[in-house]
Amino acid sequence: MMAAVPAGAPAGLDARPVYELRNVTKVFPKRNVHALDRVDLTLTQGSFASVIGASGCGKSTLLKIMAGLLPPSSGSVRLAGSQVSGPRRDIGMMFQQATLFPWRTTMENVVLPIEIRDGKAAANAKHDAAAALLELVGLKDFANAFPNELSGGMAQRAAICRMLITEPAVLLLDEPFSALDELTRDFMNMEMQRICMACNATSFLVTHSIQEAVILSDVVYVMSPRPGRFVEAVAVDLPRPRTLDMITTPRFGALVDRIRNRLDRGAFL
Amino acid sequence: MTPTHAQPAASSADTVWTEPVSLIDRIPRSIAMIAMFIAFVAIWQLVVLSGLVSPIILASPKETLEQIVFVGHNLLIGDYMLGALWITTKEVIYSFALAIAIGFSLGVMVGETGFGERALMPYLVAIDTMPKIAFAPLFIAWLGFDIHSKVALATFVAVFPIVVGTAAGLHAADENARLLFKTMGASRLQTLFKMKLPTGLPHFFTGLKIASVGVMAGAITGEFLGGGKGFGELIRVAASQLDTARVFSLIIYLSLLGLATFGAVVWVQRRFVFWQKSSVGGNALT
């Protein structure tokens, strides 16, 4: 049976639930795959949660359901009090690839979600807000540059701005920095923490990296495959803001070990 | 790295080590091209002088140059050759425009709709594998000896690369871009116009470049087989009179029309696909 998963509200934060999944199950009848089994998840305002698990454990399915790209077979998916039944502007998403469009300047890429939802005039009206976001991520001078002038890390910063421009209630991060080299990745993770704290964002990260999950998260959900379910929620009690130095502390090591043990067992259950 | 402590005495070894480049590799492109041209003309002249080939079959470089001057003069003063060139130019412009309109529409149907792909694509592939020039007599029978039959043939030859280019372009967008547009709640038309079509432009232009070559071939073939008053007819008449020098010179002027068409496509591509770095360079067809 599934271990009882406590809703991870980090101490000291406003514990208002933003995103709630109750008993979410997903079955693909055609392929006879039981992708998700009774997943419960609560994201509270300003918290950062991660899900970690081996490839094929249902992480992507979970994220697609949370993004409104895929309907659950059963269970309830509620964001800010209303059922998620499709893509929504209050869901911000980021992928492994920045996917900036080369014929648009950085600024035009950032306001693209507004242009799609509200038209060009509304997008133009958002240029000031976009400029503020670009400044927040350190791309102020690249607003009018084209994406082929940006490095991989810079492109992902622009993608962060594009995700934030609609002022989403929740950020869904699908291995956002895993295509970057390790040095850039560490740096971008620290940037992500800074940006999330600055915006008091509620974030949900899917990752393969235990270290990345621990350094960023308040709670790490360990997922096991076939069917995909949470086997444990590990609360990370390291103080914020986190720094890369913490990676060498015994507490960090203990958390990593604990997650790794859960993953190993989960994979062979 | 400076090996100071290893070789303290070797101060004269400060010169930068350079990779040896052979003399031939240092010749700039313009010089190389001119040298190649001179070599080509020299071999041509030698073959003519040797008497191995009858002068009726192969005109000498000098005769050809005279004909180039003659035809050029005729074109410049606006004589009958300019009229013929204008007719062929019109055929090329009309058929290229038609091929773009039809090819793009079919390409969007095939590339964007599953039904189009299932219903149309097999026929398009089947027709594309046929030798399209072989349809020339049919077009002449249907449309007569006027410009229409030539435009039809040239359009027919040029339309397929554009269909393929457009359809391939619409499939070029990667899964990430599609997913991103889905999360933004984009409609199908928004996805098409704001993402798929711009992403596919390089493929579309590759199709256009191939088509710009095909449109010339189609127009000239139509004129060879269907008569009329175009430049192809001038070539056919000169060839039937065994005036090879005239044929050469006419082909050279005709190729200018082909270059202009191709160049126009490249120019438009550079303006619209400015983000694509190497739009022409050494690899002209990509």
Side-chain angles (χ1 to χ4, degrees), chain A residues 64 67 69 87-88 91 93 95-99 101-104 112-113 115-117 120 146 148 162, chain B residues 174 176-187 190-191 194-196 198-199 272 274-277:
Chain A
K64 277 185 178 159
L69 297 172
R88 286 165 53 153
I91 300 174
M93 217 174 161
F95 305 98
Q96 194 172 347
Q97 306 295 333
T99 315
F101 297 104
W103 55 88
R104 292 172 158 265
L112 179 64
E115 188 179 319
I116 295 282
R117 290 188 185 274
K120 214 149 200 154
F146 283 94
N148 54 20
R162 183 179 58 198
Chain B
D174 62 7
N176 294 307
R178 288 163 203 270
L179 209 56
L180 178 67
F181 264 69
K182 267 193 197 166
T183 62
M184 294 191 296
S187 70
Q190 282 178 323
T191 309
K194 289 188 192 293
M195 192 262 285
K196 286 186 179 180
T199 305
F272 279 85
F274 58 89
W275 65 88
Q276 198 190 15
K277 279 283 162 63

Side-chain angles (χ1 to χ4, degrees), chain B residues 205-266:
Chain B
F205 275 101
T206 303
L208 280 196
K209 285 180 198 165
I210 299 170
S212 76
V213 179
V215 97
M216 283 288 297
I220 294 300
T221 310
E223 288 177 349
F224 280 176
L225 297 168
K229 298 192 178 80
F231 221 62
E233 176 67 6
L234 294 185
I235 294 175
R236 196 189 61 78
V237 169
S240 68
Q241 293 164 347
L242 293 178
D243 191 350
T244 47
R246 171 73 61 88
V247 172
F248 280 152
S249 63
L250 288 170
I251 290 174
I252 285 167
Y253 285 104
L254 191 60
S255 67
L256 293 182
L257 178 57
L259 269 179
T261 318
F262 192 85
V265 175
V266 172

Side-chain angles (χ1 to χ4, degrees), chain A residues 185-204:
Chain A
R185 179 180 185 165
D186 284 344
F187 181 71
M188 286 304 291
N189 279 333
M190 290 300 99
E191 285 287 281
M192 196 73 217
Q193 171 185 240
R194 179 177 69 80
I195 292 159
C196 286
M197 287 173 80
C199 305
N200 193 26
T202 309
S203 316
F204 187 68

